[in-house]
C-alpha cells in the first residue's frame, strides 16, 4: 500500500510517498480502508521533531497522521459492534500506525460509525480536534447546563467544536478570537466575542465556571489572567499538555479553591458516537476542509505552515462514489 513516510525529522520535504506492507489487525483492532485523513497542527510538530516531549516515543521511519475516515476492511476476532463494510471515523494507533496511508489499523474502541450526513473528506477532519474539545470540556472541565465558559482560541479547529459542544449542552459561551472571526463565532452560536488583539478579556469577563485554553499560546502569565476571571471553585483546563502550570498559577487557583487541568486527548468510541449524533441532528456543523491528494502532502504541510489558508487541511486518499 502507499503511505506518506518520514525517515528523519525536518521540513515538509522529508515526507515521501512509499510502498509499505499493508498492516494486519490484532484481535481488538480493525483494518480501515482509508478514504481521507485530516492534517492537524500536531502532525507538523511531529514531522519537524520540534517538540521533545512528542518526539521522545517516536521510532523512525513512521507514517504521519492522527485522524481518518474510511470503510472497515477487516476485523479482529474480539471486535464487536462493527462489521466489514461499515463507514467509520476515528483515531488510529499513534504513534506508529499513522493515517496518511491507503490502509490503517486501530483499536476498535477508537472508532465509531461515520455521521451519515457528511462525506469522508469532512469526517476525516473531525476526530482529533473534536475529541480534544470533548475531553477537555466534559472529562476534565465537567461542563454542565447553564454554566459559563470562556474558550480561548474559539475560532480554531478545536475551539470551533468546543463552542458548538458547549452550546449543545446549554452553556453560555464566551470566545476569544480575532475580529475577522466574529461572524464565524456568531454562526456557530457563541454568546460573546472578545478580540484578543485589541481587548483584554480579564477586564471584560468575570465569574466563569470554566476557562478552556485551546489556543497555541503557552504563557503562564496569560493563565494568571484566566484564573482572575474564574469564580470560586472554577476550573482552568488547557489542552497544551506539554506546558505545565507554574507555581504562581497553582497558588492563584488555590486561593479560589479552583482546579487546573492539563487535558490529554482520550479517543473513546462512546464520545465519537455522541459527536456523530450532534452532527446528524445538525446541532454541530462541520466546516468544509481544503482537500489535497495524498501525494501532495508536502504542499499541504507547506501551506498550513504558511498560515495563508484557512480551514482544515484534508488528504484525500480515495475518491468517494
Amino acid at each position: 500500500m502507499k503511505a506518506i513516510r518520514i525517515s528523519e525529522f525536518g521540513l515538509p520535504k522529508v515526507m515521501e510517498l512509499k510502498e509499505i506492507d499493508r498492516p494486519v489487525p490484532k484481535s481488538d483492532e480493525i483494518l480501515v480502508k482509508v478514504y481521507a485523513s485530516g492534517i492537524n497542527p500536531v502532525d507538523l510538530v511531529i514531522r519537524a521533531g520540534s517538540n521533545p516531549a512528542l518526539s521522545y516515543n517516536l521510532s523512525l521511519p513512521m507514517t504521519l497522521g492522527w485522524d481518518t475516515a474510511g470503510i472497515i476492511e477487516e476485523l479482529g476476532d474480539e471486535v464487536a459492534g462493527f462489521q466489514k463494510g461499515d463507514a467509520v471515523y476515528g483515531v488510529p494507533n499513534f504513534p506508529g500506525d499513522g493515517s496518511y496511508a491507503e490502509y490503517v489499523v486501530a483499536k476498535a474502541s477508537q472508532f465509531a460509525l461515520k455521521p451519515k450526513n457528511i462525506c469522508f473528506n469532512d469526517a476525516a477532519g473531525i476526530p482529533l480536534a473534536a475529541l480534544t474539545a470533548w475531553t477537555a470540556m466534559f472529562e476534565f472541565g465537567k461542563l454542565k447546563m447553564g454554566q459559563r465558559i470562556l474558550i480561548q482560541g474559539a475560532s480554531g479547529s478545536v475551539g470551533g467544536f468546543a463552542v458548538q459542544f458547549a452550546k449543545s449542552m446549554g452553556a453560555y459561551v464566551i470566545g476569544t478570537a480575532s475580529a475577522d472571526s466574529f461572524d464565524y463565532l456568531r454562526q456557530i452560536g457563541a454568546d460573546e466575542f472578545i478580540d484578543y488583539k485589541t481587548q483584554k478579556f480579564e477586564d471584560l469577563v468575570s465569574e466563569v465556571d470554566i476557562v478552556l485554553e485551546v489556543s497555541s499560546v503557552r504563557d503562564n502569565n496569560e493563565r494568571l489572567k484566566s484564573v482572575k476571571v474564574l469564580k470560586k471553585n472554577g476550573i482552568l483546563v488547557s489542552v497544551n499538555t506539554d506546558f505545565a502550570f507554574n507555581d504562581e498559577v497553582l497558588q492563584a487557583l488555590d486561593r479560589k479553591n479552583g482546579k487546573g487541568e492539563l487535558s490529554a486527548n482520550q479517543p473513546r468510541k462512546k464520545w465519537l458516537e455522541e459527536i456523530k449524533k450532534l452532527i446528524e441532528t445538525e446541532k454541530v456543523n462541520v466546516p468544509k476542509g481544503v482537500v489535497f491528494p495524498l501525494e501532495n502532502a508536502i504542499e499541504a504541510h507547506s501551506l498550513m505552515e504558511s498560515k495563508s489558508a484557512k480551514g482544515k487541511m484534508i488528504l484525500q486518499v480515495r475518491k468517494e462514489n
Side-chain angles (χ1 to χ4, degrees):
M1 70 171 191
K2 291 182 174 63
I4 297 294
R5 305 276 281 175
I6 61 169
S7 299
E8 61 180 313
F9 299 118
L11 298 171
K13 65 182 180 181
V14 301
M15 294 187 292
E16 297 179 288
L17 186 65
K18 296 274 194 178
E19 279 285 344
I20 63 173
D21 292 337
R22 194 171 89 171
V24 177
K26 297 176 183 177
S27 59
D28 61 345
E29 294 179 336
I30 55 176
L31 174 70
V32 177
K33 183 178 182 180
V34 176
Y35 274 71
S37 174
I39 301 176
N40 295 282
V42 69
D43 297 353
L44 278 61
V45 174
I46 290 170
R47 186 214 71 229
S50 57
N51 187 313
L54 288 172
S55 303
Y56 179 75
N57 291 320
L58 302 180
S59 297
L60 299 177
M62 64 174 292
T63 303
L64 294 172
W66 217 322
D67 55 9
T68 192
I71 292 175
I72 294 179
E73 185 79 2
E74 295 178 22
L75 303 94
D77 295 338
E78 298 177 6
V79 175
F82 290 117
Q83 59 186 5
K84 184 176 178 179
D86 280 344
V88 293
Y89 77 134
V91 179
N93 299 334
F94 198 91
D97 303 310
S99 58
Y100 293 10
E102 291 182 317
Y103 292 88
V104 68
V105 291
K107 300 290 185 186
S109 60
Q110 298 173 185
F111 271 71
L113 295 177
K114 178 183 76 65
K116 295 177 181 178
N117 58 331
I118 60 174
C119 65
F120 283 112
N121 285 346
D122 292 343
I126 298 170
L128 186 62
L131 285 168
T132 298
W134 193 278
T135 304
M137 284 199 303
F138 301 126
E139 180 73 1
F140 289 93
K142 311 299 183 186
L143 181 68
K144 299 178 180 64
M145 180 183 296
Q147 289 190 319
R148 288 163 53 83
I149 182 170
L150 170 66
I151 300 174
Q152 298 172 322
S155 63
S157 295
V158 177
F161 281 118
V163 170
Q164 295 184 81
F165 294 159
K167 288 305 296 180
S168 73
M169 179 61 67
Y172 185 91
V173 179
I174 307 162
T176 69
S178 59
D180 59 2
S181 297
F182 283 3
D183 284 344
Y184 170 65
L185 293 184
R186 188 177 293 106
Q187 290 169 12
I188 61 176
D191 297 289
E192 292 183 34
F193 334 115
I194 296 172
D195 183 355
Y196 72 89
K197 293 181 179 179
T198 62
Q199 296 176 298
K200 296 180 178 181
F201 73 89
E202 67 272 22
D203 293 336
L204 300 171
V205 180
S206 63
E207 294 294 300
V208 299
D209 297 276
I210 301 164
V211 175
L212 175 59
E213 179 187 84
V214 295
S215 73
S216 59
V217 175
R218 287 160 168 80
D219 186 340
N220 275 307
N221 288 325
E222 289 298 309
R223 285 173 169 173
L224 284 172
K225 298 173 185 176
S226 297
V227 177
K228 178 184 174 183
V229 307
L230 283 174
K231 62 169 54 174
K232 287 285 185 182
N233 304 309
I235 304 176
L236 169 60
V237 186
S238 175
V239 302
N240 297 320
T241 57
D242 60 324
F243 188 72
F245 301 115
N246 66 10
D247 289 341
E248 197 173 0
V249 172
L250 293 174
Q251 290 164 8
L253 285 165
D254 283 342
R255 288 193 291 273
K256 286 200 167 184
N257 199 30
K259 291 178 65 177
E261 299 279 10
L262 295 176
S263 172
N265 182 33
Q266 298 178 13
R268 297 184 184 178
K269 180 181 180 181
K270 65 178 182 178
W271 293 349
L272 286 167
E273 290 173 340
E274 289 298 320
I275 293 165
K276 171 181 178 289
K277 291 176 186 175
L278 291 173
I279 293 169
E280 289 182 341
T281 56
E282 298 184 351
K283 292 179 180 178
V284 167
N285 294 315
V286 179
K288 291 290 182 182
V290 182
V291 181
F292 295 82
L294 178 65
E295 59 269 23
N296 287 11
I298 291 176
E299 180 186 348
H301 271 228
S302 298
L303 184 61
M304 192 168 180
E305 287 187 336
S306 74
K307 303 185 185 302
S308 60
K310 288 193 174 183
K312 185 82 173 188
M313 300 286 186
I314 305 293
L315 290 179
Q316 181 175 271
V317 179
R318 291 178 172 85
K319 289 188 177 181
E320 185 172 353
N321 292 332

